[in-house]
Amino acid sequence: EIQLQESGPGLVKPSQSLSLTCSVTGYTITSGYDWSWIRKFPGNKMEWMGYISYSGSTNYNPSLKSRISITRDTSKNQFFLQLNSVTTEDTATYYCARWEYSSYISYFDYWGQGVMVTVSS
Amino acid sequence: DIQMTQSPSLLSASVGDRVTLSCKASQNIYKYLNWYQQKLGEAPKLLIYYTNSLQTGIPSRFSGSGSGTDYTLTISSLQPEDVATYFCQQYNSWPTFGAGTKLELK
């Protein structure tokens, strides 16, 4: 069974960087698919942040492009989110998810449980 | 980016009711629309993809329809386990989500 699990600090200070890890079991992230980060703000609005593909290429939400980096460690079957210069507006629950994308079909089919991150001094 | 508007934001219904949730896009999304269910404390679960295709393992009481800018998720007979928040998501351009409809039992 494919499982994704987020981990990382639950509290980050303003202006610092937010760093999260997504550990994947049951599927090798270099075998296929794109591996995304998605966040849900208080009030339920969700935002796709970006992905790293099975080949290692990345694509980011234009609204975050200057602050975001998604990388991976294939030896550990993990991928990572770094978001720089955070503000209180970045307080959210962060999810990692597998993104199926082919022809006219595209969806997030496996998700982690999410990790809540609060930005506060 | 494409804005997704869901209505209502809160819906109360009784067990056995036929329930309809709406999702409207700010521009034509050519049926590139998915629906997810999220129960409290759980990860979102894919219910419907490409407007009306039922994900494997999802009960047939769930169905989707729509075209252009207007889309609908229907639950034909509401069950207690359907209490959740439902999100729509488009993928005509980079993915964007609606703010959700919270479904509760009356």
Side-chain angles (χ1 to χ4, degrees):
Chain A
E1 183 188 3
I2 299 168
Q3 293 188 322
L4 292 81
Q5 179 66 58
E6 307 87 350
S7 59
L11 181 64
V12 180
K13 288 182 167 33
S15 78
Q16 293 188 346
S17 292
L18 179 161
S19 296
L20 297 175
T21 297
C22 182
S23 300
V24 180
T25 56
Y27 192 87
T28 302
I29 62 173
T30 55
S31 294
Y33 300 96
D34 297 331
W35 302 88
S36 278
W37 288 97
I38 296 162
R39 60 182 178 175
K40 187 168 78 165
F41 298 102
N44 266 352
K45 184 64 180 174
M46 282 207 280
E47 179 181 61
W48 169 77
M49 302 180 72
Y51 71 74
I52 186 164
S53 75
Y54 68 95
S55 64
S57 63
T58 55
N59 192 16
Y60 302 129
N61 188 316
S63 69
L64 298 170
K65 212 160 190 176
S66 62
R67 297 198 292 137
I68 189 173
S69 176
I70 299 176
T71 57
R72 65 183 184 173
D73 184 336
T74 57
S75 68
K76 295 182 179 178
N77 213 38
Q78 295 175 327
F79 62 105
F80 312 103
L81 170 70
Q82 181 171 319
L83 186 66
N84 300 322
S85 306
V86 298
T87 71
T88 55
E89 303 289 303
D90 295 307
T91 293
T93 298
Y94 287 76
Y95 297 92
C96 57
R98 188 177 83 165
W99 189 8
E100 156 81 72
Y101 194 101
S102 58
S103 129
Y104 58 89
I105 291 174
S106 169
Y107 48 69
F108 301 100
D109 58 354
Y110 289 93
W111 297 64
Q113 286 295 110
V115 59
M116 187 178 298
V117 178
T118 301
V119 179
S120 174
S121 53
Chain B
D1 52 347
I2 298 175
Q3 305 297 320
M4 306 299 292
T5 303
Q6 290 187 244
S7 61
S9 55
L10 175 64
L11 180 59
S12 296
S14 301
V15 173
D17 282 354
R18 182 180 182 87
V19 170
T20 300
L21 287 64
S22 294
C23 178
K24 187 174 182 66
S26 59
Q27 63 189 71
N28 191 341
I29 57 170
Y30 305 98
K31 296 191 172 185
Y32 295 136
L33 190 283
N34 302 325
W35 290 95
Y36 300 86
Q37 175 195 66
Q38 187 173 29
K39 297 182 179 180
L40 201 61
E42 297 184 8
K45 177 195 292 187
L46 176 67
L47 298 177
I48 302 278
Y49 60 92
Y50 192 51
T51 293
N52 57 15
S53 295
L54 195 66
Q55 174 68 340
T56 302
I58 301 302
S60 59
R61 63 179 180 273
F62 291 93
S63 64
S65 63
S67 62
T69 61
D70 296 305
Y71 297 84
T72 298
L73 174 69
T74 300
I75 307 173
S76 60
S77 177
L78 185 66
Q79 301 302 303
E81 60 267 30
D82 300 335
V83 168
T85 300
Y86 293 83
F87 296 92
C88 61
Q89 173 244 318
Q90 66 78 28
Y91 55 98
N92 186 54
S93 66
W94 72 85
T96 56
F97 294 81
T101 292
K102 185 176 181 179
L103 179 58
E104 62 178 27
L105 288 179
K106 194 179 291 184

